[in-house]
Amino acid sequence: MGSVVLSLDAELGWGFHDLPEPPTDRVESGRRGWTAMLELLEEFDIPATWAVVGHLMLESCDGVHADHPAPDGWFDRERGEWQDREDLRFGRGLVRDLLESDVDHEFASHTFSHVLFGRPETDRELAVAELERSAAIAEEWGCSFESFIYPRNDVGHRDVLAEHGVSAYRGWTPNREGVRAVFDSMVRDRSLLVEPFVDEYGLVNVPASLFLFGFEGPARSVAESIWEDPMVALARCGIDEATTSDGTFHMWLHPNNLTTERDDRRMRAILSYLDRRRSDSDLVVETMADVARRIRCSRGVDGEPTRIDAQAKASWN
Ligand SMILES: [Zn+2]
Ligand SMILES: [Zn+2]
């Protein structure tokens, strides 16, 4: 029997602040997508790993962050163009909604300010600062994180993660993405399952299987006009595979991928199918922390649960 994991990169404006021309539809959809995903996951009672950018949990900031060892200009956009866009820079209400959800979600980290860890200019000092700042803010909220998702899946400084108590991260997908993923799975009958493993730093790598919004633009419209949403078909294949064989089907997305109701429909179709297969088989839905614990236990390494507990919940009120 296999399992299904769903992870989300929750970032609002931070996913785009370093881009010369941030995509407006995505930037403006971060809040609606966050709420839509929380509601859908509640409707189907599906726990997910939410990797949150730490800055969103701040009450306010000076836009300078002089004590943070980021390169010059890293915080320019929040000081400039987005100075009056607190809705893109902060998200305390949304994080509270996540933590207070009836579903047993996993709170995870997506860095403090969306620094790309794999870049050569991201030195160890910056990686440490991003992790320590995220951990300190989480602690102020009465929580901690066990899983980490690299911005743009740019894996790097894994030793720093291991030293800061992280136990799992999302690794690169071994599969091709977008249209090629549809081709590989549907035509070439290639597996969408991944095998999480303990890497050389003692971290559990939970590789991605499928980015749920890797098939967009005109090709999506054409495909949907003659057929069903190909990404829904692909996700169903992965879910079906996980019900019949060992291995993990790991889907991921950003809340800001839900830019229109058409995107909400995609997620509803996938989640309702997952819910159905879970109830008519032994399939389990896991968070990344669940996977890490399972893998470590099977190797005889202790894994402590870090679910959002009742005591922490009480302290936010
Ligand atoms: Zn700031
Ligand atoms: Zn991101």
Side-chain angles (χ1 to χ4, degrees), residues 119-313:
R119 291 283 173 88
E121 54 269 37
T122 300
D123 58 17
R124 189 183 161 83
E125 184 194 9
L126 178 54
V128 168
E130 285 280 308
L131 269 171
E132 288 186 345
R133 196 83 179 89
S134 307
I137 298 164
E139 202 182 325
E140 284 168 28
W141 282 60
C143 35
S144 60
F145 53 83
E146 194 180 338
S147 303
F148 183 88
I149 292 181
Y150 286 103
R152 302 192 193 128
N153 293 316
D154 198 0
V155 175
H157 296 290
R158 283 178 294 157
D159 53 329
V160 175
L161 266 58
E163 282 165 22
H164 287 78
V166 171
S167 65
Y169 65 97
R170 189 178 67 211
W172 268 106
T173 178
N175 305 322
R176 299 200 296 173
E177 304 215 70
V179 177
R180 292 185 183 89
V182 177
F183 178 77
D184 283 351
S185 174
M186 307 288 187
V187 181
R188 297 171 64 197
D189 200 26
R190 285 201 35 184
S191 172
L192 285 160
L193 302 189
V194 292
E195 284 296 337
F197 62 95
V198 179
D199 74 6
E200 58 270 45
Y201 298 93
L203 300 163
V204 177
N205 180 347
V206 189
S209 296
L210 182 66
F211 173 47
L212 293 175
F213 287 84
F215 185 69
E216 304 307 302
R220 173 178 176 184
S221 298
V222 171
E224 284 184 36
S225 69
I226 52 171
W227 200 33
E228 68 168 337
D229 181 344
M231 197 53 78
V232 174
L234 207 49
R236 276 199 210 129
C237 282
I239 293 165
D240 285 342
E241 257 193 275
T243 60
T244 52
S245 40
D246 287 341
T248 298
F249 178 55
H250 184 180
M251 308 181 270
W252 71 279
L253 72 155
H254 313 86
N256 62 46
N257 286 124
L258 278 70
T259 58
T260 67
E261 283 177 16
R262 184 169 80 147
D263 304 316
D264 301 358
R265 281 198 295 277
R266 167 180 292 179
M267 289 313 303
R268 168 179 287 279
I270 293 170
L271 296 175
S272 69
Y273 189 73
L274 174 57
D275 184 37
R276 189 142 38 96
R277 292 312 321 260
R278 178 177 56 177
S279 63
D280 67 20
S281 72
D282 290 332
L283 179 70
V284 291
V285 177
E286 293 180 299
T287 62
M288 286 172 57
D290 293 332
V291 173
R293 229 167 285 139
R294 173 165 59 78
I295 300 287
R296 288 171 159 227
C297 282
S298 70
R299 283 172 42 115
V301 186
D302 271 337
E304 282 294 314
T306 59
R307 284 298 178 81
I308 298 159
D309 63 25
Q311 199 186 351
K313 272 189 179 175

Side-chain angles (χ1 to χ4, degrees), residues 9 11 15 53 110 114 150-152 254:
D9 305 9
E11 53 199 20
V53 169
H110 196 38
H114 213 261
Y150 286 103
R152 302 192 193 128
H254 313 86

